[in-house]
Amino acid sequence: MAPHGPGPHPSALELARRFLDGYPEFENATSDPGIPVLASLVARAGDPAAAASARRAAAAWSRTVGRGLSHGGLLDGGLAGTYVGLRMAARIHPPLHRAADRLRDHLLTSASAHPWRTTDVGLPDYDLIGGPAGTLLALCTREPQPSVRQLLPFASHLAALCDSDDLRRLHIGQYAGDPRLGWLQGRVNTGMGHGVAGLVAALTATVRRTGPRPRLTDALRRATHWLVRQSFEDDRSIRSWDGAGLDGPPPAGARARQAWCYGAPGITWALWDAADVLGDRAAADWAATAFATLAERYDEDFHLFGDPLTDRLALCHGAAGVLAVADAFHRWARLSPAAVLGARLADHLTTRLPAALAPGQPGTSLLVGAPGALAALLTATDDTSRDWLRCLGLR
């Protein structure tokens, strides 16, 4: 893996083309940004057949806009994700910019009502997947960039949640007795998808856009310092985090879930990027060293488990997400262990994606489906557009 490599691996591009060719026939397609993100990358590859596949898929995707929308967020069927998809698809079909403009205006108008809680919060009150952190990242994904005034309702809310060193406003208060999320009640989520790391990524992107503002930079420092205090070294000597902040000494054992969503990859990147925008060299070095403990000890047989695509290969839990983080560390921090791990995971995906995509019709979502895994592989092996990585809090 190199920032200016020789081009996408031929089998990766061919896999992406074949996948896009099958997309119009997929059932239950939604306006998740996965298809247009992948199509926009394939269209830039310089292969006429691949570009034709990308055009057809982007056109078919545009006809799904409006399906399955349940919230205003970035991923998992949200309006902010549709906005990203429209901007990406408009690279291939420029008239879609008009629809994107209208949706952007709707997102901004909705934010002006400040619809989010600041105490006893639930995940949609702040997180990257369904909350304002993700919408903020969506607005920062590509040109045209919104104005500072337009970003501040989202960013000011996130900053307000970080007004104390213990992040007391981020203690979850909505899931008592919930069979899936009850483990979070009264606790603070650490991760990139649903936790403090995602909030940090959104504030970092905002500070890059607006310049340093005391309220935002103070919130960033409190949130990053809190995350560092929740870390520990697991039994494999990897700097790790549990899914929620520590209630006492960390339980013994190795942490198998080391992914974009939870654990060292996503959190260490959020910490490094925040330190970079704050100009805190010592904090950036700490985060890079923390990621290096993972990169040097990463074990595909231990750290990748579950469903072959969604858990082992996709962005959220799998190899593609770790690859995307390693690629970001290599490109921006020039971290050698990240380059080595990235090359290894690119090979891992190249050899395993064909089998994962072969049977039936794989999922089309960016986060847990084939488009995200293929997009991460193409991005890491080609000097192509990277702005879609904002959807992951990366760059």
Side-chain angles (χ1 to χ4, degrees), residues 23 29-32 59-68:
Y23 166 69
T30 70
S31 46
D32 178 279
W61 176 87
S62 70
R63 295 191 289 272
T64 73
V65 171
R67 293 187 195 173

Side-chain angles (χ1 to χ4, degrees), residues 200 204 208 220-221 224-225 228 239 241 264-293 325 328-330 332-338 395:
V200 164
T204 298
R208 287 196 189 281
L220 260 183
R221 289 189 177 93
T224 54
H225 291 170
V228 170
R239 179 59 53 179
W241 285 260
I267 295 174
T268 55
W269 169 259
L271 290 171
W272 185 90
D273 205 27
D276 184 60
V277 81
L278 292 170
D280 188 339
R281 187 71 262 154
D285 289 345
W286 187 92
T289 299
F291 183 77
T293 68
V325 173
F329 266 111
H330 171 51
W332 302 111
R334 301 298 177 187
L335 187 64
S336 297
R395 57 187 176 97

Side-chain angles (χ1 to χ4, degrees), residues 232-240 253-255 258 289-290 292-297:
F232 55 89
E233 192 173 272
D234 78 0
D235 284 3
R236 291 190 171 216
S237 298
I238 294 171
R239 179 59 53 179
S240 296
R255 299 306 192 264
Q258 299 287 0
T289 299
T293 68
L294 173 82
E296 292 165 352
R297 298 170 179 85

Side-chain angles (χ1 to χ4, degrees), residues 26-366:
F26 289 1
E27 296 177 357
N28 301 317
T30 70
S31 46
D32 178 279
I35 292 295
V37 163
L38 182 60
S40 70
L41 295 176
V42 169
R44 294 167 59 96
D47 180 293
S53 298
R55 287 193 297 272
R56 287 192 295 269
W61 176 87
S62 70
R63 295 191 289 272
T64 73
V65 171
R67 293 187 195 173
L69 301 177
S70 57
H71 57 81
L74 173 56
L75 300 166
D76 195 24
L79 286 171
T82 303
Y83 170 73
V84 171
L86 285 167
R87 289 294 188 210
M88 295 294 174
R91 292 177 170 175
I92 302 169
H93 297 288
L96 291 173
H97 278 305
R98 292 194 293 272
D101 289 343
R102 292 193 295 271
L103 184 49
R104 176 203 57 205
D105 293 345
H106 172 76
L107 291 169
L108 294 171
T109 299
S110 299
S112 66
H114 297 281
W116 313 289
R117 300 179 187 90
T118 55
T119 58
D120 292 326
V121 296
L123 301 181
D125 294 313
Y126 68 90
D127 80 356
L128 187 157
I129 289 178
T135 306
L136 196 51
L137 288 170
L139 292 168
C140 292
T141 295
R142 72 176 307 269
E143 300 294 340
Q145 289 278 3
S147 69
V148 172
R149 178 184 58 81
Q150 291 170 326
L151 294 178
L152 285 181
F154 302 95
S156 296
H157 168 73
L158 297 180
L161 294 174
C162 302
D163 63 357
S164 63
D165 290 343
D166 62 356
L167 303 187
R168 63 178 179 273
R169 291 186 184 277
L170 283 166
H171 284 256
I172 297 293
Q174 298 297 313
Y175 304 124
D178 187 291
R180 188 170 64 90
L181 295 172
W183 66 276
L184 269 176
Q185 184 72 8
R187 308 179 77 192
V188 180
N189 193 296
T190 61
M192 182 67 94
H194 292 301
V196 175
L199 183 155
V200 164
L203 286 178
T204 298
T206 305
V207 172
R208 287 196 189 281
R209 172 72 182 88
T210 67
R213 292 170 173 256
R215 192 179 187 196
L216 303 186
T217 55
D218 288 350
L220 260 183
R221 289 189 177 93
R222 290 191 195 99
T224 54
H225 291 170
W226 183 88
L227 276 172
V228 170
R229 293 197 301 273
Q230 310 314 309
S231 72
F232 55 89
E233 192 173 272
D234 78 0
D235 284 3
R236 291 190 171 216
S237 298
I238 294 171
R239 179 59 53 179
S240 296
W241 285 260
D242 283 334
L246 296 173
D247 298 322
R255 299 306 192 264
R257 180 65 77 208
Q258 299 287 0
W260 169 83
C261 59
Y262 284 113
I267 295 174
T268 55
W269 169 259
L271 290 171
W272 185 90
D273 205 27
D276 184 60
V277 81
L278 292 170
D280 188 339
R281 187 71 262 154
D285 289 345
W286 187 92
T289 299
F291 183 77
T293 68
L294 173 82
E296 292 165 352
R297 298 170 179 85
Y298 190 80
D299 181 350
E300 291 89 335
D301 292 332
F302 178 74
H303 291 119
L304 298 174
F305 54 93
D307 179 271
L309 178 60
T310 59
D311 285 317
R312 297 187 185 184
L313 301 181
L315 285 172
C316 191
H317 294 167
V322 183
L323 169 61
V325 173
D327 181 51
F329 266 111
H330 171 51
R331 175 174 286 261
W332 302 111
R334 301 298 177 187
L335 187 64
S336 297
V340 174
L341 177 60
R344 212 171 86 201
L345 289 174
D347 287 342
H348 183 90
L349 285 166
T350 298
T351 57
R352 288 164 177 79
L353 273 172
L357 301 183
Q361 298 170 344
T364 61
S365 81
L366 183 70

